[in-house]
Amino acid sequence: MTLIVLIDIIIFNRLGGGVVLKVSRINTVAGILYIFLAALFICVTGSVLSFFKISYTAKIVMIVLSFALAFTASYLLVKKEKSEKRKYRIVKITTLLLFLLYLTVVIDFTLINDHFGRSISNFFALSGEEKRLYLEAHTNFVPFHTVEFFIDGYHNNYFSLFETAENLLGNFLVLVPLAFFMPIFFKFANNLLKFLTSIILFVIAIEILQIIFLSGAADIDDLILNTLGAFLAFIILKSKKVSEKLSAFTFKVWKKD
């Protein structure tokens, strides 16, 4: 539905009023960018649903490209618009599309992506004893045990700097975008306590699913790092100067306090 609205905006420029067909270079370029964005979205979603395989690196590149294309396309459309309402709607719809793409990627990387040794098929493929051994090896309820494990592993040349950063920094950064997306689409998330509560519940839900489907590791350190990253991002984005600039940049889609 979101893609249909975007196409409607680009081709027919239908934004609340009548339909006015405007053939311009800006519309053409923005339309092409949105088509590429839609293609990237379909590719990432298709790989998550196992319709075809895309490498881990290719997914990262696609995600970066998607955000770049989305912001460029929306900027081009907004630049020529005079109506503040139309500007707001273009940015809001584009942001929603990016939010859906982001959630798809999070689900993929936390439950499905075999680059990290994750596979929901483990639930069906492993025997009862194998499942028990898997859970013993992939659960940690001791705070900072995994953090210490990777840091010690790096110092002892067991893990490379990339592998250490991928795990620790990756877990710290993975939910940072929620500090931007959630306050836009959920009013309750503008409150720090409610935002953190929702983040914690979200992470716990993922960890429980990882236990149920034997996909990845259920780790208290994931909860700590995920929550800390989202918390710090929220504090920064909600600071007065950053919030005002973000509100102006997104044409008030981001509500400044």
Side-chain angles (χ1 to χ4, degrees):
M1 179 60 71
T2 303
L3 290 175
I4 293 174
V5 174
L6 281 173
I7 293 171
D8 197 35
I9 289 172
I10 296 164
I11 298 177
F12 299 107
N13 203 31
R14 188 189 341 239
L15 285 167
V19 179
V20 181
L21 185 60
K22 295 183 178 181
V23 180
S24 67
R25 290 182 179 179
I26 292 178
N27 269 20
T28 301
V29 173
I32 292 172
L33 292 178
Y34 273 121
I35 289 171
F36 274 113
L37 176 61
L40 290 173
F41 187 90
I42 291 170
C43 285
V44 173
T45 304
S47 69
V48 171
L49 297 175
S50 299
F51 292 144
F52 44 80
K53 282 194 174 183
I54 298 177
S55 70
Y56 169 71
T57 304
K59 286 180 183 178
I60 296 296
V61 172
M62 285 182 177
I63 295 164
V64 174
L65 277 176
S66 295
F67 275 75
L69 289 174
F71 281 113
T72 303
S74 61
Y75 174 77
L76 289 173
L77 288 177
V78 165
K79 186 178 179 181
K80 72 180 185 61
E81 286 293 344
K82 295 181 179 180
S83 169
E84 292 299 319
K85 183 178 180 180
R86 293 181 178 184
K87 291 179 180 181
Y88 175 89
R89 194 173 180 196
I90 290 171
V91 176
K92 186 71 174 284
I93 292 173
T94 303
T95 305
L96 176 59
L97 181 60
L98 290 176
F99 185 34
L100 295 175
L101 177 62
Y102 165 75
L103 290 177
T104 302
V105 171
V106 168
I107 293 172
D108 181 34
F109 282 6
T110 56
L111 295 172
I112 301 171
N113 196 318
D114 56 9
H115 171 81
F116 301 102
R118 295 177 177 131
S119 176
I120 292 178
S121 63
N122 286 337
F123 178 78
F124 305 99
L126 300 181
S127 66
E129 179 63 16
E130 287 173 328
K131 289 178 181 178
R132 185 185 67 79
L133 293 174
Y134 183 96
L135 289 174
E136 286 183 1
H138 292 80
T139 54
N140 168 50
F141 299 106
V142 180
F144 302 109
H145 173 76
T146 301
V147 173
E148 184 179 356
F149 173 73
F150 272 93
I151 292 176
D152 288 344
Y154 169 69
H155 287 306
N156 294 319
N157 297 318
Y158 184 74
F159 294 120
S160 66
L161 178 60
F162 176 79
E163 289 172 326
T164 304
E166 183 180 42
N167 185 280
L168 302 184
L169 188 60
N171 272 308
F172 179 81
L173 295 175
V174 67
L175 297 189
V176 163
L178 287 181
F180 170 72
F181 287 122
M182 287 190 63
I184 289 176
F185 296 107
F186 306 101
K187 288 184 179 180
F188 72 85
N190 286 281
N191 177 278
L192 176 58
L193 181 59
K194 292 180 179 179
F195 171 75
L196 286 179
T197 300
S198 64
I199 291 294
I200 291 171
L201 292 175
F202 181 68
V203 176
I204 290 175
I206 290 176
E207 299 300 308
I208 290 174
L209 288 173
Q210 287 180 327
I211 291 176
I212 292 174
F213 292 108
L214 305 177
S215 177
D219 196 327
I220 186 67
D221 284 0
D222 289 351
L223 176 61
I224 294 171
L225 292 173
N226 293 166
T227 305
L228 182 59
F231 168 73
L232 291 178
F234 184 91
I235 294 298
I236 292 172
L237 294 181
K238 282 295 184 178
S239 63
K240 185 175 181 181
K241 289 185 178 180
V242 175
S243 187
E244 287 178 350
K245 290 181 179 179
L246 195 56
S247 179
F249 177 74
T250 60
F251 295 90
K252 299 182 181 179
V253 168
W254 173 270
K255 306 295 183 183
K256 62 182 180 180
D257 293 330

